[in-house]
């Protein structure tokens, strides 16, 4: 039995762990025609050992879900870096950045996500020094190429202890592998509150348009959600030759319009169970959305701690942060945890076709999506556009009553 078996009960999450664990290197990873990472099997190399299936979400009939009673027992904190110069460099409150650096000092090898401009993609990379974890800073709102970093973990897990940062689907697969090898206690796994990942076709068109605007120069840095206008805004910023060469318009940004349409997310994202369970992670991080910090412009992290390992790691950095106690119900109110998306499959196909078409722009695809919206969604979109013209303080005040 292998990853191509027809007994799969779900779609591929693109975690790529199947290829990483394959002892015969029979599985390669590449983007499919819809722009999602998929495993491709060389049947002549495969020995049907079944290891790929054992770590795969597609085949798991017994995904562990966290009950409401157990959710209530999870330790939840809000956290914000005390040092403003560090807070400016991260997407929310800075917990992931501090954890990576602390875990390096504790002897862990860290795996996290960096943006590689040469390959035009986000990639999981291996860091063994504090400085190398700087590349992890900032959320990346696209799929990550993770195979090579995860292969490094598989090869070295008996001689190194790892701290892995990823989405719930990454962390699930790594947890499954480590549990098979009785090595789960050697690692700390940190995932994120997840909405889903869009097709790389979206990013490819978006990035190509920016490249044309900046003379095809190398990107020094891509900030997928910059704080250039404060925390909680969705500005994409690209730094070229040390200066901000591109700042998106959040009033009508094609990348985020498509991201939040939920129509071009990975197939598995619509009904993903893994974003809605806490059973496989030690710590889950995200933005602390909601009314408590509506007036904050610097960024606050939500920290949900599910294990003693996770608590020890957080306590080691706690002194660097302003923290408050919270609960899962407060955090989950503004997250995608427990949600199921129901895209119009005909429209999804048309949008993906448009993304593949070199003669169509992202705006064409966004316009197609908007043309199929009902009156309620059009009214909501109009209100959001009006919102961008209101002063920050007035906008936050209004949100307290919505």
């Amino acid at each position: 039995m292998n990853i191509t078996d027809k007994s799969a009960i779900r779609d591929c999450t693109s975690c790529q762990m199947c290829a990483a664990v394959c002892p015969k290197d029979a599985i390669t990873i590449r983007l499919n025609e819809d722009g999602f990472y998929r495993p491709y099997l060389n049947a002549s190399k495969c020995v049907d050992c079944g290891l790929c299936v054992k770590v795969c979400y597609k085949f798991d009939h017994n995904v562990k879900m966290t009950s409401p009673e157990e959710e209530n027992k999870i330790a939840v904190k809000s956290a914000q870096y005390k040092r403003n110069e560090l807070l400016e460099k991260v997407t929310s409150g800075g917990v992931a950045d501090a954890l990576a650096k602390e875990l390096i000092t504790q002897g862990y090898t860290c795996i996290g996500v960096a943006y590689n401009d040469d390959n035009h993609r986000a990639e999981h990379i291996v860091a063994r020094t504090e400085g190398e974890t700087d590349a992890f800073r900032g959320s990346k709102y696209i799929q990550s190429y993770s195979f090579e970093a995860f292969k490094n973990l598989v090869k070295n897990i008996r001689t190194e202890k790892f701290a892995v940062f990823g989405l719930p689907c990454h962390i699930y697969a790594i947890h499954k592998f480590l549990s098979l090898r009785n090595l789960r206690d050697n690692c700390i796994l940190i995932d994120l509150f997840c909405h889903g990942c869009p097709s790389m076709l979206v990013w490819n068109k978006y990035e190509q348009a920016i490249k044309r605007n900046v003379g095809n120069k190398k990107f020094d840095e891509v900030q997928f959600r910059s704080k250039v206008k404060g925390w909680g805004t969705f500005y994409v910023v690209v730094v070229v030759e040390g200066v901000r060469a591109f700042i998106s318009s959040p009033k009508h940004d094609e990348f985020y319009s498509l991201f939040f349409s939920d129509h071009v997310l990975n197939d598995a994202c619509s009904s993903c169970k893994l974003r809605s369970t806490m059973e496989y992670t030690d710590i889950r991080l995200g933005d602390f959305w909601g009314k408590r910090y509506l007036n904050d412009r610097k960024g606050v992290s939500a920290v949900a701690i599910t294990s003693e390992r996770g608590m020890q790691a957080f306590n080691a950095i706690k002194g660097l942060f302003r923290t408050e106690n919270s609960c899962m119900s407060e955090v989950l109110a503004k997250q995608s945890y427990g949600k199921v998306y129901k895209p119009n499959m005909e429209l999804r196909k048309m949008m993906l076709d448009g993304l593949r078409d070199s003669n169509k722009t992202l705006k064409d695809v966004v316009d197609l999506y908007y043309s199929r919206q009902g009156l309620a969604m059009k009214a909501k979109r109009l209100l959001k556009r009006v919102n961008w013209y209101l002063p920050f303080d007035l906008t936050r005040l209004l949100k307290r009553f919505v």
Side-chain angles (χ1 to χ4, degrees):
M1 189 174 181
N2 59 55
I3 202 72
T4 66
D5 196 90
K6 301 301 183 183
S7 64
I9 58 174
R10 301 187 192 90
D11 292 308
C12 175
T13 66
S14 303
C15 77
Q16 304 160 57
M17 194 62 181
C18 58
V21 302
C22 180
K24 299 297 182 180
D25 295 326
I27 301 173
T28 56
I29 299 295
R30 60 180 184 268
L31 293 173
N32 69 4
E33 64 174 7
D34 289 337
F36 301 107
Y37 289 111
R38 291 291 184 265
Y40 291 86
L41 181 74
N42 183 337
S44 66
K45 290 184 176 182
C46 179
V47 294
D48 280 329
C49 68
L51 186 55
C52 57
V53 172
K54 292 176 182 177
V55 302
C56 183
Y57 169 69
K58 294 194 305 180
F59 298 92
D60 192 346
H61 288 261
N62 298 298
V63 173
K64 297 178 183 177
M65 303 305 295
T66 308
S67 69
E69 293 75 21
E70 290 303 311
E71 286 174 1
N72 291 335
K73 298 175 184 178
I74 294 171
V76 181
K77 309 284 184 180
S78 66
Q80 183 182 65
Y81 253 144
K82 292 177 180 178
R83 293 173 58 189
N84 286 336
E85 68 273 19
L86 293 176
L87 195 56
E88 292 172 359
K89 298 176 181 178
V90 296
T91 301
S92 51
V95 173
D97 183 60
L99 277 173
K101 288 170 172 52
E102 171 61 28
L103 292 168
I104 288 284
T105 67
Q106 292 184 19
Y108 285 86
T109 297
C110 283
I111 294 177
V113 180
Y115 185 76
N116 186 327
D117 184 61
D118 292 331
N119 293 331
H120 313 287
R121 66 190 185 190
E123 298 176 351
H124 271 87
I125 63 170
V126 177
R128 291 186 170 86
T129 68
E130 291 183 55
E132 288 173 339
T133 68
D134 287 350
F136 299 172
R137 287 173 174 166
S139 300
K140 286 81 177 174
Y141 280 72
I142 56 178
Q143 287 194 319
S144 170
Y145 179 77
S146 57
F147 161 67
E148 292 178 11
F150 289 178
K151 191 72 171 180
N152 186 293
L153 178 148
V154 170
K155 288 182 176 179
N156 296 300
I157 189 58
R158 294 195 182 278
T159 57
E160 297 181 54
K161 56 181 184 177
F162 285 83
V164 185
F165 296 79
L167 298 179
C169 52
H170 297 128
I171 295 310
Y172 161 88
I174 291 172
H175 169 95
K176 295 287 281 188
F177 168 74
L178 294 172
S179 298
L180 285 172
R181 295 288 185 261
N182 295 316
L183 294 169
R184 180 61 177 86
D185 291 341
N186 285 19
C187 297
I188 183 164
L189 304 182
I190 301 150
D191 67 11
L192 305 174
F193 287 101
C194 184
H195 180 84
C197 281
S199 165
M200 284 296 290
L201 297 174
V202 179
W203 174 249
N204 291 344
K205 277 189 182 289
Y206 193 81
E207 186 233 23
Q208 288 163 12
I210 300 172
K211 285 283 186 181
R212 289 193 292 271
N213 288 337
V214 301
N216 289 311
K217 293 178 180 177
K218 181 179 175 63
F219 294 171
D220 296 340
E221 182 182 359
V222 178
Q223 301 167 3
F224 283 84
R225 223 185 74 219
S226 171
K227 291 179 180 174
V228 65
K229 299 293 184 180
W231 174 57
T233 57
F234 285 78
Y235 285 87
V236 179
V237 169
V238 175
V239 178
V240 175
E241 296 178 344
V243 299
R244 291 170 180 154
F246 173 83
I247 301 177
S248 67
S249 170
K251 286 181 288 186
H252 186 67
D253 179 71
E254 287 89 358
F255 178 81
Y256 280 114
S257 294
L258 292 173
F259 179 89
F260 287 115
S261 77
D262 298 336
H263 274 67
V264 291
L265 299 178
N266 193 11
D267 306 74
C269 294
S270 292
S271 57
C272 180
K273 291 179 176 290
L274 302 179
R275 69 164 168 261
S276 303
T277 182
M278 304 293 290
E279 297 300 308
Y280 302 100
T281 189
D282 293 304
I283 301 175
R284 182 164 294 177
L285 303 174
D287 291 275
F288 203 115
W289 304 127
K291 294 183 178 181
R292 191 193 297 207
Y293 297 109
L294 268 179
N295 294 325
D296 189 280
R297 302 194 69 174
K298 295 179 180 179
V300 183
S301 293
V303 187
I305 306 164
T306 67
S307 70
E308 183 59 31
R309 275 187 304 273
M311 184 61 73
Q312 289 174 0
F314 181 73
N315 284 340
I317 64 167
K318 187 177 179 180
L320 302 174
F321 291 84
R322 290 179 282 270
T323 64
E324 294 182 351
N325 292 325
S326 181
C327 61
M328 284 293 281
S329 59
E330 182 181 18
V331 170
L332 298 185
K334 295 296 183 179
Q335 297 290 346
S336 296
Y337 191 102
K339 294 181 179 178
V340 174
Y341 315 137
K342 297 180 179 179
N344 179 313
M345 298 308 292
E346 180 185 359
L347 178 56
R348 171 183 168 83
K349 181 181 183 303
M350 293 170 65
M351 292 169 70
L352 289 170
D353 287 343
L355 290 169
R356 278 190 293 270
D357 189 339
S358 61
N359 294 316
K360 292 188 181 295
T361 65
L362 277 186
K363 184 179 183 303
D364 293 331
V365 181
V366 172
D367 288 346
L368 170 63
Y369 170 64
Y370 286 163
S371 72
R372 297 299 186 94
Q373 286 186 325
L375 288 176
M377 289 300 296
K378 289 180 178 178
K380 184 177 180 180
R381 182 158 51 89
L382 177 61
L383 287 173
K384 284 186 175 182
R385 288 181 66 83
V386 171
N387 176 65
W388 287 108
Y389 293 97
L390 298 176
F392 175 85
D393 291 339
L394 178 58
T395 299
R396 294 299 171 104
L397 178 63
L398 291 173
K399 284 185 177 181
R400 290 188 177 276
F401 300 98
V402 176

